[in-house]
Amino acid sequence: MTLSMQVGYSFVRPATLRNRLDRHLRSLRHGRLRVLRLLGARFVTSHYGVRMMANWDDRTFKLCAVGRYGRVLSDFIESIEEPFEFLDIGANQGLYTLIAGRNPACRAITAFEPVSRTHNFLLANVALNGLVGKVTPVKAAVSDVRGAANITLPCDHSGAASISQCTEGSETEAIALMDHTDLDRLLSAIGPKIVVKIDTEGHEPAVLRALEKSAAFSRIEAIFYEVDEAWIDAGAVRASLQNAGFTSFERAGSGRHYDVLARR
């Protein structure tokens, strides 16, 4: 009697395994965060290695803490070995300001955050990480005009505050707008290269226009900016940067909402 056996093998793609592992690790980080909240922790060490004051009811804080913003910009900042300055436009609670601040090559940081409550967290996090002398916090938004505007404030997601996009049911706050002339007072036309991060929920084109008019624009070597194709014309933004001498565009994320690291 001859027996035959057919054995089936199920192969799992490496990308699928990585996705499963990432989800598992994020679940563990969320669990750790819940424990820290129960313990009444005043601050947490985020997945990116910087300390942040506890802001338990804010979704943006939680995303920073568990590492949901990916590694493209943080790895790029950490890899820079030559002297540079960091310009954080839409700094929120300061995640990338703090990451840049711990790089010995970073000479100075200017961090723009116009919302009062969020700006207070930025100040606290700068102090918590020992960066008071290195960071210049500015309570204003960068735009292509000077003056004032109203910004919408979703109650549980500080990172969704927007000048350009209105969210139903959101509160508003009057904020100051700074243009390229204000940037010129803050940034010298001479100095090391500048790395810029822009996360302004649809106001990115206006910020880029202000930067292009600034005397310090020629020092900018890299710009990391957010794209939501429902809000801005991604092709027009890229074309404008290409005309300004940027040649490399690395996309982080998929779909219609993603980030781009543009480099000269």
Side-chain angles (χ1 to χ4, degrees), residues 87 89 110-114 136-149 163 175-187 203 206-211 214:
L87 191 57
I89 302 176
T110 306
F112 293 87
E113 175 47 55
T136 300
V138 182
K139 190 175 178 293
V142 176
S143 188
D144 53 354
V145 295
R146 297 185 75 191
I163 300 171
I175 62 168
L177 300 179
M178 302 179 73
D179 68 1
H180 69 281
T181 61
D182 299 297
L183 290 176
D184 287 343
R185 282 192 287 271
L186 291 167
L187 305 171
H203 204 62
V207 173
L208 288 167
R209 287 192 293 270
L211 290 173
S214 169

PDB file of all heavy atoms in Angstrom, residues 87 89 110-114 136-149 163 175-187 203 206-211 214:
ATOM      1  N   LEU A  87      14.577  74.879  10.741  1.00  0.00           N
ATOM      2  CA  LEU A  87      13.427  75.769  10.730  1.00  0.00           C
ATOM      3  C   LEU A  87      12.177  74.898  10.790  1.00  0.00           C
ATOM      4  O   LEU A  87      11.877  74.160   9.852  1.00  0.00           O
ATOM      5  CB  LEU A  87      13.448  76.615   9.452  1.00  0.00           C
ATOM      6  CG  LEU A  87      12.494  77.798   9.337  1.00  0.00           C
ATOM      7  CD1 LEU A  87      12.707  78.777  10.478  1.00  0.00           C
ATOM      8  CD2 LEU A  87      12.707  78.510   8.006  1.00  0.00           C
ATOM      9  N   ILE A  89       8.356  74.865  10.922  1.00  0.00           N
ATOM     10  CA  ILE A  89       7.180  75.697  10.662  1.00  0.00           C
ATOM     11  C   ILE A  89       5.932  74.841  10.837  1.00  0.00           C
ATOM     12  O   ILE A  89       5.661  73.930  10.054  1.00  0.00           O
ATOM     13  CB  ILE A  89       7.242  76.304   9.250  1.00  0.00           C
ATOM     14  CG1 ILE A  89       8.518  77.140   9.102  1.00  0.00           C
ATOM     15  CG2 ILE A  89       6.006  77.147   8.979  1.00  0.00           C
ATOM     16  CD1 ILE A  89       8.736  77.703   7.712  1.00  0.00           C
ATOM     17  N   THR A 110      14.705  77.539  14.877  1.00  0.00           N
ATOM     18  CA  THR A 110      13.608  78.489  14.996  1.00  0.00           C
ATOM     19  C   THR A 110      12.323  77.713  14.806  1.00  0.00           C
ATOM     20  O   THR A 110      12.127  77.065  13.768  1.00  0.00           O
ATOM     21  CB  THR A 110      13.709  79.612  13.947  1.00  0.00           C
ATOM     22  OG1 THR A 110      14.999  80.226  14.031  1.00  0.00           O
ATOM     23  CG2 THR A 110      12.640  80.667  14.188  1.00  0.00           C
ATOM     24  N   ALA A 111      11.452  77.739  15.811  1.00  0.00           N
ATOM     25  CA  ALA A 111      10.241  76.910  15.808  1.00  0.00           C
ATOM     26  C   ALA A 111       9.006  77.800  15.874  1.00  0.00           C
ATOM     27  O   ALA A 111       8.812  78.536  16.843  1.00  0.00           O
ATOM     28  CB  ALA A 111      10.262  75.946  16.996  1.00  0.00           C
ATOM     29  N   PHE A 112       8.166  77.710  14.833  1.00  0.00           N
ATOM     30  CA  PHE A 112       6.952  78.503  14.744  1.00  0.00           C
ATOM     31  C   PHE A 112       5.752  77.667  15.167  1.00  0.00           C
ATOM     32  O   PHE A 112       5.463  76.636  14.565  1.00  0.00           O
ATOM     33  CB  PHE A 112       6.733  78.995  13.312  1.00  0.00           C
ATOM     34  CG  PHE A 112       7.750  79.994  12.841  1.00  0.00           C
ATOM     35  CD1 PHE A 112       8.936  79.576  12.261  1.00  0.00           C
ATOM     36  CD2 PHE A 112       7.522  81.356  12.974  1.00  0.00           C
ATOM     37  CE1 PHE A 112       9.875  80.490  11.816  1.00  0.00           C
ATOM     38  CE2 PHE A 112       8.456  82.281  12.543  1.00  0.00           C
ATOM     39  CZ  PHE A 112       9.647  81.843  11.961  1.00  0.00           C
ATOM     40  N   GLU A 113       5.034  78.121  16.186  1.00  0.00           N
ATOM     41  CA  GLU A 113       3.785  77.485  16.600  1.00  0.00           C
ATOM     42  C   GLU A 113       2.840  78.582  17.111  1.00  0.00           C
ATOM     43  O   GLU A 113       3.079  79.167  18.158  1.00  0.00           O
ATOM     44  CB  GLU A 113       4.026  76.450  17.695  1.00  0.00           C
ATOM     45  CG  GLU A 113       2.760  75.822  18.257  1.00  0.00           C
ATOM     46  CD  GLU A 113       1.792  75.375  17.171  1.00  0.00           C
ATOM     47  OE1 GLU A 113       2.202  74.596  16.275  1.00  0.00           O
ATOM     48  OE2 GLU A 113       0.621  75.802  17.198  1.00  0.00           O
ATOM     49  N   PRO A 114       1.770  78.866  16.366  1.00  0.00           N
ATOM     50  CA  PRO A 114       0.935  80.025  16.688  1.00  0.00           C
ATOM     51  C   PRO A 114      -0.147  79.795  17.746  1.00  0.00           C
ATOM     52  O   PRO A 114      -0.647  80.760  18.334  1.00  0.00           O
ATOM     53  CB  PRO A 114       0.290  80.352  15.338  1.00  0.00           C
ATOM     54  CG  PRO A 114       0.178  79.025  14.654  1.00  0.00           C
ATOM     55  CD  PRO A 114       1.399  78.254  15.079  1.00  0.00           C
ATOM     56  N   THR A 136      14.745  78.992  19.322  1.00  0.00           N
ATOM     57  CA  THR A 136      14.000  80.247  19.375  1.00  0.00           C
ATOM     58  C   THR A 136      12.549  79.940  19.042  1.00  0.00           C
ATOM     59  O   THR A 136      12.206  79.721  17.877  1.00  0.00           O
ATOM     60  CB  THR A 136      14.552  81.273  18.360  1.00  0.00           C
ATOM     61  OG1 THR A 136      15.925  81.541  18.652  1.00  0.00           O
ATOM     62  CG2 THR A 136      13.756  82.575  18.413  1.00  0.00           C
ATOM     63  N   PRO A 137      11.660  79.885  20.055  1.00  0.00           N
ATOM     64  CA  PRO A 137      10.250  79.612  19.775  1.00  0.00           C
ATOM     65  C   PRO A 137       9.557  80.910  19.340  1.00  0.00           C
ATOM     66  O   PRO A 137       9.779  81.964  19.935  1.00  0.00           O
ATOM     67  CB  PRO A 137       9.703  79.134  21.125  1.00  0.00           C
ATOM     68  CG  PRO A 137      10.893  79.047  22.051  1.00  0.00           C
ATOM     69  CD  PRO A 137      11.930  79.954  21.497  1.00  0.00           C
ATOM     70  N   VAL A 138       8.730  80.824  18.316  1.00  0.00           N
ATOM     71  CA  VAL A 138       8.021  82.001  17.802  1.00  0.00           C
ATOM     72  C   VAL A 138       6.528  81.692  17.797  1.00  0.00           C
ATOM     73  O   VAL A 138       6.080  80.740  17.160  1.00  0.00           O
ATOM     74  CB  VAL A 138       8.486  82.355  16.379  1.00  0.00           C
ATOM     75  CG1 VAL A 138       7.756  83.609  15.884  1.00  0.00           C
ATOM     76  CG2 VAL A 138       9.998  82.563  16.340  1.00  0.00           C
ATOM     77  N   LYS A 139       5.761  82.518  18.496  1.00  0.00           N
ATOM     78  CA  LYS A 139       4.310  82.306  18.590  1.00  0.00           C
ATOM     79  C   LYS A 139       3.627  83.030  17.427  1.00  0.00           C
ATOM     80  O   LYS A 139       3.006  84.089  17.596  1.00  0.00           O
ATOM     81  CB  LYS A 139       3.768  82.790  19.930  1.00  0.00           C
ATOM     82  CG  LYS A 139       2.330  82.383  20.198  1.00  0.00           C
ATOM     83  CD  LYS A 139       1.916  82.798  21.599  1.00  0.00           C
ATOM     84  CE  LYS A 139       0.463  82.432  21.845  1.00  0.00           C
ATOM     85  NZ  LYS A 139      -0.460  83.229  20.992  1.00  0.00           N
ATOM     86  N   ALA A 140       3.753  82.480  16.256  1.00  0.00           N
ATOM     87  CA  ALA A 140       3.184  83.048  15.037  1.00  0.00           C
ATOM     88  C   ALA A 140       3.200  81.987  13.958  1.00  0.00           C
ATOM     89  O   ALA A 140       3.874  80.961  14.076  1.00  0.00           O
ATOM     90  CB  ALA A 140       3.980  84.274  14.594  1.00  0.00           C
ATOM     91  N   ALA A 141       2.458  82.257  12.883  1.00  0.00           N
ATOM     92  CA  ALA A 141       2.450  81.383  11.708  1.00  0.00           C
ATOM     93  C   ALA A 141       3.175  82.081  10.574  1.00  0.00           C
ATOM     94  O   ALA A 141       3.139  83.308  10.462  1.00  0.00           O
ATOM     95  CB  ALA A 141       1.020  81.061  11.294  1.00  0.00           C
ATOM     96  N   VAL A 142       3.849  81.318   9.737  1.00  0.00           N
ATOM     97  CA  VAL A 142       4.512  81.865   8.555  1.00  0.00           C
ATOM     98  C   VAL A 142       3.523  81.866   7.393  1.00  0.00           C
ATOM     99  O   VAL A 142       2.812  80.876   7.170  1.00  0.00           O
ATOM    100  CB  VAL A 142       5.759  81.039   8.197  1.00  0.00           C
ATOM    101  CG1 VAL A 142       6.393  81.566   6.912  1.00  0.00           C
ATOM    102  CG2 VAL A 142       6.760  81.066   9.343  1.00  0.00           C
ATOM    103  N   SER A 143       3.478  82.970   6.655  1.00  0.00           N
ATOM    104  CA  SER A 143       2.582  83.073   5.510  1.00  0.00           C
ATOM    105  C   SER A 143       3.203  84.012   4.486  1.00  0.00           C
ATOM    106  O   SER A 143       4.317  84.515   4.686  1.00  0.00           O
ATOM    107  CB  SER A 143       1.210  83.592   5.962  1.00  0.00           C
ATOM    108  OG  SER A 143       0.273  83.534   4.901  1.00  0.00           O
ATOM    109  N   ASP A 144       2.487  84.239   3.386  1.00  0.00           N
ATOM    110  CA  ASP A 144       2.988  85.161   2.365  1.00  0.00           C
ATOM    111  C   ASP A 144       2.456  86.576   2.572  1.00  0.00           C
ATOM    112  O   ASP A 144       2.680  87.451   1.737  1.00  0.00           O
ATOM    113  CB  ASP A 144       2.647  84.657   0.965  1.00  0.00           C
ATOM    114  CG  ASP A 144       1.168  84.347   0.790  1.00  0.00           C
ATOM    115  OD1 ASP A 144       0.410  84.412   1.780  1.00  0.00           O
ATOM    116  OD2 ASP A 144       0.765  84.014  -0.344  1.00  0.00           O
ATOM    117  N   VAL A 145       1.734  86.784   3.672  1.00  0.00           N
ATOM    118  CA  VAL A 145       1.266  88.125   4.049  1.00  0.00           C
ATOM    119  C   VAL A 145       1.487  88.323   5.546  1.00  0.00           C
ATOM    120  O   VAL A 145       1.542  87.350   6.309  1.00  0.00           O
ATOM    121  CB  VAL A 145      -0.231  88.329   3.722  1.00  0.00           C
ATOM    122  CG1 VAL A 145      -0.462  88.286   2.222  1.00  0.00           C
ATOM    123  CG2 VAL A 145      -1.095  87.295   4.433  1.00  0.00           C
ATOM    124  N   ARG A 146       1.601  89.570   5.967  1.00  0.00           N
ATOM    125  CA  ARG A 146       1.684  89.881   7.389  1.00  0.00           C
ATOM    126  C   ARG A 146       0.294  90.224   7.901  1.00  0.00           C
ATOM    127  O   ARG A 146      -0.593  90.597   7.140  1.00  0.00           O
ATOM    128  CB  ARG A 146       2.601  91.076   7.624  1.00  0.00           C
ATOM    129  CG  ARG A 146       4.034  90.855   7.216  1.00  0.00           C
ATOM    130  CD  ARG A 146       4.881  92.049   7.600  1.00  0.00           C
ATOM    131  NE  ARG A 146       5.141  92.084   9.025  1.00  0.00           N
ATOM    132  CZ  ARG A 146       5.679  93.130   9.659  1.00  0.00           C
ATOM    133  NH1 ARG A 146       5.970  94.223   8.988  1.00  0.00           N
ATOM    134  NH2 ARG A 146       5.914  93.073  10.941  1.00  0.00           N
ATOM    135  N   GLY A 147       0.113  90.116   9.202  1.00  0.00           N
ATOM    136  CA  GLY A 147      -1.160  90.512   9.787  1.00  0.00           C
ATOM    137  C   GLY A 147      -1.664  89.495  10.781  1.00  0.00           C
ATOM    138  O   GLY A 147      -0.913  89.014  11.635  1.00  0.00           O
ATOM    139  N   ALA A 148      -2.945  89.170  10.671  1.00  0.00           N
ATOM    140  CA  ALA A 148      -3.570  88.231  11.598  1.00  0.00           C
ATOM    141  C   ALA A 148      -4.545  87.344  10.845  1.00  0.00           C
ATOM    142  O   ALA A 148      -4.977  87.659   9.727  1.00  0.00           O
ATOM    143  CB  ALA A 148      -4.286  88.986  12.713  1.00  0.00           C
ATOM    144  N   ALA A 149      -4.887  86.231  11.463  1.00  0.00           N
ATOM    145  CA  ALA A 149      -5.850  85.303  10.872  1.00  0.00           C
ATOM    146  C   ALA A 149      -6.472  84.488  11.991  1.00  0.00           C
ATOM    147  O   ALA A 149      -5.977  84.477  13.131  1.00  0.00           O
ATOM    148  CB  ALA A 149      -5.161  84.381   9.871  1.00  0.00           C
ATOM    149  N   ILE A 163      -5.159  77.171   9.286  1.00  0.00           N
ATOM    150  CA  ILE A 163      -5.606  78.475   8.798  1.00  0.00           C
ATOM    151  C   ILE A 163      -6.466  78.297   7.559  1.00  0.00           C
ATOM    152  O   ILE A 163      -7.447  78.997   7.345  1.00  0.00           O
ATOM    153  CB  ILE A 163      -4.397  79.369   8.447  1.00  0.00           C
ATOM    154  CG1 ILE A 163      -3.508  79.589   9.675  1.00  0.00           C
ATOM    155  CG2 ILE A 163      -4.853  80.712   7.889  1.00  0.00           C
ATOM    156  CD1 ILE A 163      -2.193  80.267   9.333  1.00  0.00           C
ATOM    157  N   ILE A 175      -4.493  84.522  15.505  1.00  0.00           N
ATOM    158  CA  ILE A 175      -3.043  84.343  15.554  1.00  0.00           C
ATOM    159  C   ILE A 175      -2.356  85.388  14.684  1.00  0.00           C
ATOM    160  O   ILE A 175      -2.964  86.005  13.814  1.00  0.00           O
ATOM    161  CB  ILE A 175      -2.630  82.931  15.071  1.00  0.00           C
ATOM    162  CG1 ILE A 175      -3.057  82.734  13.603  1.00  0.00           C
ATOM    163  CG2 ILE A 175      -3.224  81.860  15.969  1.00  0.00           C
ATOM    164  CD1 ILE A 175      -2.459  81.509  12.948  1.00  0.00           C
ATOM    165  N   ALA A 176      -1.053  85.568  14.921  1.00  0.00           N
ATOM    166  CA  ALA A 176      -0.244  86.490  14.120  1.00  0.00           C
ATOM    167  C   ALA A 176       0.337  85.776  12.921  1.00  0.00           C
ATOM    168  O   ALA A 176       0.699  84.594  12.989  1.00  0.00           O
ATOM    169  CB  ALA A 176       0.883  87.062  14.980  1.00  0.00           C
ATOM    170  N   LEU A 177       0.432  86.502  11.804  1.00  0.00           N
ATOM    171  CA  LEU A 177       1.064  85.993  10.585  1.00  0.00           C
ATOM    172  C   LEU A 177       2.359  86.748  10.335  1.00  0.00           C
ATOM    173  O   LEU A 177       2.388  87.982  10.422  1.00  0.00           O
ATOM    174  CB  LEU A 177       0.137  86.166   9.374  1.00  0.00           C
ATOM    175  CG  LEU A 177      -1.223  85.468   9.409  1.00  0.00           C
ATOM    176  CD1 LEU A 177      -2.000  85.776   8.133  1.00  0.00           C
ATOM    177  CD2 LEU A 177      -1.071  83.967   9.585  1.00  0.00           C
ATOM    178  N   MET A 178       3.418  86.022  10.001  1.00  0.00           N
ATOM    179  CA  MET A 178       4.716  86.622   9.690  1.00  0.00           C
ATOM    180  C   MET A 178       5.082  86.289   8.244  1.00  0.00           C
ATOM    181  O   MET A 178       4.886  85.157   7.801  1.00  0.00           O
ATOM    182  CB  MET A 178       5.790  86.095  10.635  1.00  0.00           C
ATOM    183  CG  MET A 178       5.492  86.354  12.102  1.00  0.00           C
ATOM    184  SD  MET A 178       6.770  85.708  13.222  1.00  0.00           S
ATOM    185  CE  MET A 178       8.087  86.860  12.927  1.00  0.00           C
ATOM    186  N   ASP A 179       5.610  87.272   7.516  1.00  0.00           N
ATOM    187  CA  ASP A 179       5.990  87.037   6.125  1.00  0.00           C
ATOM    188  C   ASP A 179       7.507  86.996   5.974  1.00  0.00           C
ATOM    189  O   ASP A 179       8.248  86.882   6.962  1.00  0.00           O
ATOM    190  CB  ASP A 179       5.359  88.081   5.210  1.00  0.00           C
ATOM    191  CG  ASP A 179       5.915  89.483   5.427  1.00  0.00           C
ATOM    192  OD1 ASP A 179       6.809  89.659   6.287  1.00  0.00           O
ATOM    193  OD2 ASP A 179       5.453  90.413   4.731  1.00  0.00           O
ATOM    194  N   HIS A 180       7.993  87.107   4.740  1.00  0.00           N
ATOM    195  CA  HIS A 180       9.423  86.970   4.488  1.00  0.00           C
ATOM    196  C   HIS A 180      10.253  88.073   5.151  1.00  0.00           C
ATOM    197  O   HIS A 180      11.423  87.847   5.497  1.00  0.00           O
ATOM    198  CB  HIS A 180       9.693  86.944   2.989  1.00  0.00           C
ATOM    199  CG  HIS A 180       9.438  88.247   2.307  1.00  0.00           C
ATOM    200  ND1 HIS A 180       8.177  88.683   1.979  1.00  0.00           N
ATOM    201  CD2 HIS A 180      10.297  89.228   1.892  1.00  0.00           C
ATOM    202  CE1 HIS A 180       8.257  89.857   1.387  1.00  0.00           C
ATOM    203  NE2 HIS A 180       9.526  90.210   1.325  1.00  0.00           N
ATOM    204  N   THR A 181       9.670  89.251   5.344  1.00  0.00           N
ATOM    205  CA  THR A 181      10.423  90.321   6.012  1.00  0.00           C
ATOM    206  C   THR A 181      10.689  89.966   7.470  1.00  0.00           C
ATOM    207  O   THR A 181      11.751  90.306   8.015  1.00  0.00           O
ATOM    208  CB  THR A 181       9.671  91.659   5.920  1.00  0.00           C
ATOM    209  OG1 THR A 181       8.400  91.549   6.578  1.00  0.00           O
ATOM    210  CG2 THR A 181       9.449  92.058   4.470  1.00  0.00           C
ATOM    211  N   ASP A 182       9.729  89.291   8.099  1.00  0.00           N
ATOM    212  CA  ASP A 182       9.939  88.827   9.470  1.00  0.00           C
ATOM    213  C   ASP A 182      10.970  87.699   9.516  1.00  0.00           C
ATOM    214  O   ASP A 182      11.789  87.628  10.439  1.00  0.00           O
ATOM    215  CB  ASP A 182       8.614  88.348  10.063  1.00  0.00           C
ATOM    216  CG  ASP A 182       7.570  89.447  10.120  1.00  0.00           C
ATOM    217  OD1 ASP A 182       7.806  90.437  10.828  1.00  0.00           O
ATOM    218  OD2 ASP A 182       6.536  89.316   9.437  1.00  0.00           O
ATOM    219  N   LEU A 183      10.915  86.810   8.515  1.00  0.00           N
ATOM    220  CA  LEU A 183      11.915  85.744   8.451  1.00  0.00           C
ATOM    221  C   LEU A 183      13.318  86.328   8.329  1.00  0.00           C
ATOM    222  O   LEU A 183      14.274  85.822   8.936  1.00  0.00           O
ATOM    223  CB  LEU A 183      11.634  84.823   7.261  1.00  0.00           C
ATOM    224  CG  LEU A 183      10.403  83.921   7.357  1.00  0.00           C
ATOM    225  CD1 LEU A 183      10.219  83.150   6.051  1.00  0.00           C
ATOM    226  CD2 LEU A 183      10.518  82.960   8.528  1.00  0.00           C
ATOM    227  N   ASP A 184      13.442  87.413   7.555  1.00  0.00           N
ATOM    228  CA  ASP A 184      14.757  88.028   7.370  1.00  0.00           C
ATOM    229  C   ASP A 184      15.292  88.622   8.665  1.00  0.00           C
ATOM    230  O   ASP A 184      16.509  88.720   8.850  1.00  0.00           O
ATOM    231  CB  ASP A 184      14.689  89.106   6.287  1.00  0.00           C
ATOM    232  CG  ASP A 184      14.551  88.511   4.891  1.00  0.00           C
ATOM    233  OD1 ASP A 184      14.838  87.307   4.740  1.00  0.00           O
ATOM    234  OD2 ASP A 184      14.147  89.233   3.971  1.00  0.00           O
ATOM    235  N   ARG A 185      14.403  89.008   9.573  1.00  0.00           N
ATOM    236  CA  ARG A 185      14.857  89.510  10.872  1.00  0.00           C
ATOM    237  C   ARG A 185      15.314  88.376  11.787  1.00  0.00           C
ATOM    238  O   ARG A 185      16.128  88.582  12.681  1.00  0.00           O
ATOM    239  CB  ARG A 185      13.748  90.315  11.545  1.00  0.00           C
ATOM    240  CG  ARG A 185      13.587  91.722  10.998  1.00  0.00           C
ATOM    241  CD  ARG A 185      12.690  92.559  11.880  1.00  0.00           C
ATOM    242  NE  ARG A 185      11.294  92.173  11.746  1.00  0.00           N
ATOM    243  CZ  ARG A 185      10.463  92.694  10.833  1.00  0.00           C
ATOM    244  NH1 ARG A 185      10.911  93.607   9.992  1.00  0.00           N
ATOM    245  NH2 ARG A 185       9.218  92.307  10.773  1.00  0.00           N
ATOM    246  N   LEU A 186      14.775  87.187  11.544  1.00  0.00           N
ATOM    247  CA  LEU A 186      15.117  86.034  12.379  1.00  0.00           C
ATOM    248  C   LEU A 186      16.282  85.222  11.829  1.00  0.00           C
ATOM    249  O   LEU A 186      17.036  84.611  12.601  1.00  0.00           O
ATOM    250  CB  LEU A 186      13.900  85.115  12.512  1.00  0.00           C
ATOM    251  CG  LEU A 186      12.721  85.640  13.335  1.00  0.00           C
ATOM    252  CD1 LEU A 186      11.498  84.775  13.106  1.00  0.00           C
ATOM    253  CD2 LEU A 186      13.078  85.671  14.813  1.00  0.00           C
ATOM    254  N   LEU A 187      16.427  85.199  10.499  1.00  0.00           N
ATOM    255  CA  LEU A 187      17.422  84.350   9.861  1.00  0.00           C
ATOM    256  C   LEU A 187      18.414  85.191   9.076  1.00  0.00           C
ATOM    257  O   LEU A 187      18.025  86.019   8.258  1.00  0.00           O
ATOM    258  CB  LEU A 187      16.743  83.363   8.897  1.00  0.00           C
ATOM    259  CG  LEU A 187      15.650  82.473   9.481  1.00  0.00           C
ATOM    260  CD1 LEU A 187      14.937  81.733   8.361  1.00  0.00           C
ATOM    261  CD2 LEU A 187      16.228  81.496  10.480  1.00  0.00           C
ATOM    262  N   HIS A 203      -1.667  75.079   4.332  1.00  0.00           N
ATOM    263  CA  HIS A 203      -1.098  76.420   4.133  1.00  0.00           C
ATOM    264  C   HIS A 203       0.328  76.350   3.578  1.00  0.00           C
ATOM    265  O   HIS A 203       1.007  77.371   3.475  1.00  0.00           O
ATOM    266  CB  HIS A 203      -1.110  77.184   5.468  1.00  0.00           C
ATOM    267  CG  HIS A 203      -1.117  78.675   5.321  1.00  0.00           C
ATOM    268  ND1 HIS A 203      -2.132  79.366   4.698  1.00  0.00           N
ATOM    269  CD2 HIS A 203      -0.218  79.611   5.710  1.00  0.00           C
ATOM    270  CE1 HIS A 203      -1.869  80.655   4.713  1.00  0.00           C
ATOM    271  NE2 HIS A 203      -0.717  80.838   5.317  1.00  0.00           N
ATOM    272  N   ALA A 206       1.599  78.882   0.741  1.00  0.00           N
ATOM    273  CA  ALA A 206       1.856  80.245   1.225  1.00  0.00           C
ATOM    274  C   ALA A 206       3.173  80.310   1.988  1.00  0.00           C
ATOM    275  O   ALA A 206       3.926  81.284   1.871  1.00  0.00           O
ATOM    276  CB  ALA A 206       0.702  80.717   2.106  1.00  0.00           C
ATOM    277  N   VAL A 207       3.462  79.267   2.765  1.00  0.00           N
ATOM    278  CA  VAL A 207       4.734  79.225   3.508  1.00  0.00           C
ATOM    279  C   VAL A 207       5.908  79.171   2.532  1.00  0.00           C
ATOM    280  O   VAL A 207       6.905  79.877   2.702  1.00  0.00           O
ATOM    281  CB  VAL A 207       4.760  77.995   4.445  1.00  0.00           C
ATOM    282  CG1 VAL A 207       6.141  77.857   5.091  1.00  0.00           C
ATOM    283  CG2 VAL A 207       3.681  78.117   5.508  1.00  0.00           C
ATOM    284  N   LEU A 208       5.784  78.352   1.500  1.00  0.00           N
ATOM    285  CA  LEU A 208       6.860  78.235   0.514  1.00  0.00           C
ATOM    286  C   LEU A 208       7.087  79.558  -0.222  1.00  0.00           C
ATOM    287  O   LEU A 208       8.234  79.930  -0.499  1.00  0.00           O
ATOM    288  CB  LEU A 208       6.550  77.121  -0.474  1.00  0.00           C
ATOM    289  CG  LEU A 208       6.680  75.697   0.087  1.00  0.00           C
ATOM    290  CD1 LEU A 208       6.061  74.688  -0.865  1.00  0.00           C
ATOM    291  CD2 LEU A 208       8.142  75.354   0.353  1.00  0.00           C
ATOM    292  N   ARG A 209       6.010  80.284  -0.513  1.00  0.00           N
ATOM    293  CA  ARG A 209       6.176  81.586  -1.167  1.00  0.00           C
ATOM    294  C   ARG A 209       6.938  82.549  -0.264  1.00  0.00           C
ATOM    295  O   ARG A 209       7.781  83.330  -0.739  1.00  0.00           O
ATOM    296  CB  ARG A 209       4.806  82.164  -1.541  1.00  0.00           C
ATOM    297  CG  ARG A 209       4.151  81.462  -2.723  1.00  0.00           C
ATOM    298  CD  ARG A 209       2.953  82.228  -3.244  1.00  0.00           C
ATOM    299  NE  ARG A 209       1.840  82.254  -2.304  1.00  0.00           N
ATOM    300  CZ  ARG A 209       0.872  81.345  -2.268  1.00  0.00           C
ATOM    301  NH1 ARG A 209       0.892  80.319  -3.121  1.00  0.00           N
ATOM    302  NH2 ARG A 209      -0.117  81.446  -1.411  1.00  0.00           N
ATOM    303  N   ALA A 210       6.664  82.509   1.028  1.00  0.00           N
ATOM    304  CA  ALA A 210       7.399  83.363   1.969  1.00  0.00           C
ATOM    305  C   ALA A 210       8.871  82.978   2.030  1.00  0.00           C
ATOM    306  O   ALA A 210       9.755  83.842   2.033  1.00  0.00           O
ATOM    307  CB  ALA A 210       6.764  83.264   3.353  1.00  0.00           C
ATOM    308  N   LEU A 211       9.141  81.679   2.063  1.00  0.00           N
ATOM    309  CA  LEU A 211      10.532  81.221   2.112  1.00  0.00           C
ATOM    310  C   LEU A 211      11.298  81.649   0.865  1.00  0.00           C
ATOM    311  O   LEU A 211      12.457  82.073   0.949  1.00  0.00           O
ATOM    312  CB  LEU A 211      10.582  79.698   2.261  1.00  0.00           C
ATOM    313  CG  LEU A 211      10.132  79.115   3.600  1.00  0.00           C
ATOM    314  CD1 LEU A 211      10.090  77.594   3.523  1.00  0.00           C
ATOM    315  CD2 LEU A 211      11.052  79.564   4.730  1.00  0.00           C
ATOM    316  N   SER A 214      12.565  85.088   1.053  1.00  0.00           N
ATOM    317  CA  SER A 214      13.478  85.374   2.148  1.00  0.00           C
ATOM    318  C   SER A 214      14.926  85.427   1.678  1.00  0.00           C
ATOM    319  O   SER A 214      15.330  84.686   0.772  1.00  0.00           O
ATOM    320  CB  SER A 214      13.343  84.299   3.233  1.00  0.00           C
ATOM    321  OG  SER A 214      14.371  84.384   4.179  1.00  0.00           O
TER     322      SER A 214
END
